[in-house]
Coordinates of all heavy atoms in Angstrom, one line a residue:
Chain B
K162 N 116.0 95.7 83.4 CA 115.6 97.0 83.7 C 115.0 97.1 85.1 O 115.3 98.0 85.8 CB 114.4 97.4 82.7 CG 114.3 99.0 82.6 CD 113.9 99.4 81.2 CE 114.0 100.8 81.0 NZ 113.8 101.3 79.6
A163 N 114.3 96.1 85.5 CA 113.7 96.0 86.8 C 114.8 96.0 87.9 O 114.8 96.7 88.9 CB 112.8 94.8 87.0
L164 N 115.9 95.3 87.6 CA 117.0 95.1 88.5 C 117.7 96.4 88.6 O 118.2 96.8 89.7 CB 117.9 94.0 88.0 CG 118.9 93.4 89.0 CD1 118.3 93.0 90.3 CD2 119.5 92.2 88.3
T165 N 117.9 97.1 87.5 CA 118.6 98.4 87.5 C 117.8 99.4 88.4 O 118.4 100.1 89.2 CB 118.7 99.0 86.1 OG1 119.4 98.0 85.3 CG2 119.4 100.3 86.1
L166 N 116.5 99.4 88.2 CA 115.6 100.3 89.0 C 115.7 100.0 90.5 O 115.8 100.8 91.3 CB 114.1 100.1 88.6 CG 113.6 101.1 87.5 CD1 112.1 100.8 87.4 CD2 113.9 102.5 87.9
L167 N 115.7 98.7 90.8 CA 115.8 98.2 92.2 C 117.1 98.8 92.8 O 117.1 99.2 93.9 CB 115.8 96.7 92.1 CG 115.5 95.9 93.5 CD1 114.1 96.3 94.0 CD2 115.5 94.4 93.2
R168 N 118.2 98.7 92.1 CA 119.4 99.1 92.6 C 119.5 100.6 92.9 O 120.1 101.1 93.8 CB 120.5 98.6 91.7 CG 120.9 97.2 91.8 CD 121.9 96.7 90.9 NE 122.1 95.2 91.1 CZ 122.5 94.4 90.2 NH1 122.7 94.8 88.9 NH2 122.6 93.1 90.5
K169 N 118.9 101.3 91.9 CA 118.8 102.7 92.0 C 118.0 103.2 93.2 O 118.3 104.2 93.8 CB 118.3 103.4 90.7 CG 119.4 103.6 89.7 CD 118.8 104.5 88.6 CE 119.7 104.5 87.4 NZ 119.1 104.9 86.2
R170 N 117.0 102.5 93.5 CA 116.0 102.9 94.5 C 116.3 102.4 95.9 O 115.7 103.0 96.9 CB 114.6 102.5 94.1 CG 114.1 103.2 92.9 CD 112.8 102.9 92.5 NE 112.3 103.7 91.4 CZ 111.2 103.4 90.6 NH1 110.6 102.3 90.8 NH2 110.9 104.2 89.6
I171 N 117.1 101.5 96.0 CA 117.3 100.8 97.4 C 117.7 101.8 98.5 O 117.3 101.6 99.6 CB 118.2 99.6 97.3 CG1 118.1 98.8 98.6 CG2 119.6 100.0 96.9 CD1 118.9 97.5 98.5
N172 N 118.5 102.7 98.1 CA 118.9 103.7 99.1 C 118.0 104.8 99.5 O 118.2 105.5 100.5 CB 120.3 104.2 98.7 CG 121.4 103.3 98.9 OD1 121.6 102.7 99.9 ND2 122.2 103.1 97.8
S173 N 117.1 105.0 98.6 CA 116.1 106.2 98.9 C 114.7 105.8 99.0 O 113.8 106.7 99.3 CB 116.3 107.2 97.8 OG 116.0 106.6 96.5
E174 N 114.4 104.5 99.0 CA 113.0 104.0 99.3 C 113.1 102.8 100.1 O 114.0 101.9 100.0 CB 112.4 103.6 98.0 CG 111.7 104.7 97.2 CD 111.1 104.2 95.9 OE1 110.2 103.4 96.0 OE2 111.5 104.6 94.9
P175 N 112.2 102.6 101.1 CA 112.2 101.4 102.0 C 111.7 100.2 101.3 O 110.8 99.5 101.8 CB 111.3 101.9 103.1 CG 110.3 102.9 102.4 CD 111.0 103.5 101.3
L176 N 112.2 99.9 100.2 CA 111.6 98.7 99.5 C 112.3 97.4 100.0 O 111.7 96.3 99.9 CB 111.9 98.8 98.0 CG 113.2 99.3 97.5 CD1 114.2 98.1 97.4 CD2 113.0 99.8 96.0
I177 N 113.4 97.5 100.7 CA 114.2 96.2 101.0 C 113.3 95.4 102.0 O 113.5 94.2 102.0 CB 115.5 96.6 101.6 CG1 116.4 95.4 101.8 CG2 115.4 97.4 102.9 CD1 117.8 95.8 102.1
F178 N 112.5 96.1 102.9 CA 111.8 95.4 103.9 C 110.8 94.4 103.3 O 110.4 93.4 104.0 CB 111.2 96.4 104.8 CG 112.2 97.3 105.3 CD1 112.2 98.7 104.9 CD2 113.1 97.0 106.3 CE1 113.1 99.6 105.3 CE2 114.1 97.8 106.7 CZ 114.2 99.1 106.2
N179 N 110.4 94.6 102.1 CA 109.3 93.8 101.4 C 109.9 92.4 101.2 O 109.2 91.4 100.9 CB 108.9 94.4 100.2 CG 108.1 95.7 100.4 OD1 107.0 95.7 100.9 ND2 108.8 96.8 100.1
L180 N 111.3 92.3 101.2 CA 111.8 91.0 100.9 C 112.1 90.2 102.1 O 112.7 89.1 102.1 CB 113.2 91.3 100.1 CG 113.0 91.8 98.7 CD1 114.4 92.4 98.2 CD2 112.5 90.7 97.7
L181 N 111.8 90.7 103.3 CA 112.1 90.1 104.6 C 110.8 89.9 105.4 O 109.8 90.6 105.1 CB 113.0 91.0 105.4 CG 114.5 91.0 104.9 CD1 115.3 92.2 105.5 CD2 115.2 89.7 105.1
P182 N 110.9 89.1 106.4 CA 109.7 89.0 107.3 C 109.6 90.3 108.1 O 110.5 91.2 108.0 CB 110.1 87.9 108.2 CG 111.3 87.3 107.8 CD 112.0 88.2 106.8
K183 N 108.5 90.5 108.9 CA 108.3 91.8 109.6 C 109.4 92.0 110.5 O 109.9 93.1 110.8 CB 107.0 91.8 110.3 CG 105.8 92.0 109.3 CD 104.6 92.5 110.0 CE 103.6 92.9 109.0 NZ 102.2 92.3 109.2
L184 N 109.8 90.9 111.2 CA 111.0 91.0 112.1 C 112.2 90.4 111.5 O 112.1 89.3 110.9 CB 110.7 90.3 113.4 CG 109.5 90.9 114.3 CD1 109.2 90.0 115.4 CD2 110.0 92.2 114.8
F185 N 113.4 91.1 111.6 CA 114.5 90.6 110.9 C 115.8 91.0 111.7 O 115.7 91.9 112.4 CB 114.6 91.2 109.5 CG 114.4 92.6 109.5 CD1 115.4 93.6 109.7 CD2 113.2 93.3 109.3 CE1 115.3 94.9 109.6 CE2 113.0 94.7 109.3 CZ 114.0 95.5 109.5
T186 N 116.8 90.3 111.4 CA 118.1 90.7 112.1 C 118.9 91.6 111.2 O 118.6 91.6 110.0 CB 118.9 89.4 112.5 OG1 119.4 88.8 111.1 CG2 118.1 88.3 113.2
L187 N 119.8 92.2 111.7 CA 120.6 93.1 110.9 C 121.5 92.4 109.9 O 121.7 92.9 108.8 CB 121.6 94.0 111.8 CG 120.8 95.0 112.6 CD1 121.8 96.0 113.4 CD2 119.8 95.8 111.9
T188 N 121.9 91.2 110.3 CA 122.6 90.4 109.3 C 121.8 89.9 108.2 O 122.2 90.1 107.0 CB 123.1 89.1 110.0 OG1 123.9 89.5 111.2 CG2 124.0 88.2 109.2
Q189 N 120.5 89.7 108.3 CA 119.6 89.3 107.3 C 119.4 90.6 106.4 O 119.5 90.5 105.2 CB 118.2 89.0 107.8 CG 118.1 87.6 108.4 CD 116.7 87.3 108.9 OE1 116.2 88.2 109.7 NE2 116.1 86.2 108.6
L190 N 119.2 91.8 107.0 CA 119.1 93.0 106.2 C 120.3 93.2 105.4 O 120.1 93.6 104.1 CB 118.8 94.1 107.2 CG 118.4 95.5 106.6 CD1 117.1 95.4 105.9 CD2 118.4 96.6 107.6
Q191 N 121.4 93.1 106.0 CA 122.6 93.3 105.2 C 122.8 92.2 104.1 O 123.2 92.6 102.9 CB 123.9 93.2 106.1 CG 125.1 93.6 105.4 CD 126.4 93.7 106.3 OE1 126.3 93.8 107.5 NE2 127.5 93.8 105.7
S192 N 122.4 91.0 104.3 CA 122.5 90.0 103.3 C 121.6 90.4 102.0 O 122.0 90.2 100.9 CB 122.0 88.7 103.8 OG 122.8 88.3 104.8

Side-chain angles (χ1 to χ4, degrees):
Chain B
K162 202 150 193 167
L164 197 49
T165 303
L166 266 186
L167 196 58
R168 286 176 179 151
K169 273 192 189 155
R170 291 182 176 162
I171 189 172
N172 285 308
S173 53
E174 274 180 59
L176 47 81
I177 192 169
F178 308 106
N179 296 290
L180 292 164
L181 287 169
K183 282 202 175 127
L184 293 171
F185 51 85
T186 68
L187 293 187
T188 303
Q189 286 177 311
L190 188 65
Q191 184 172 350
S192 297

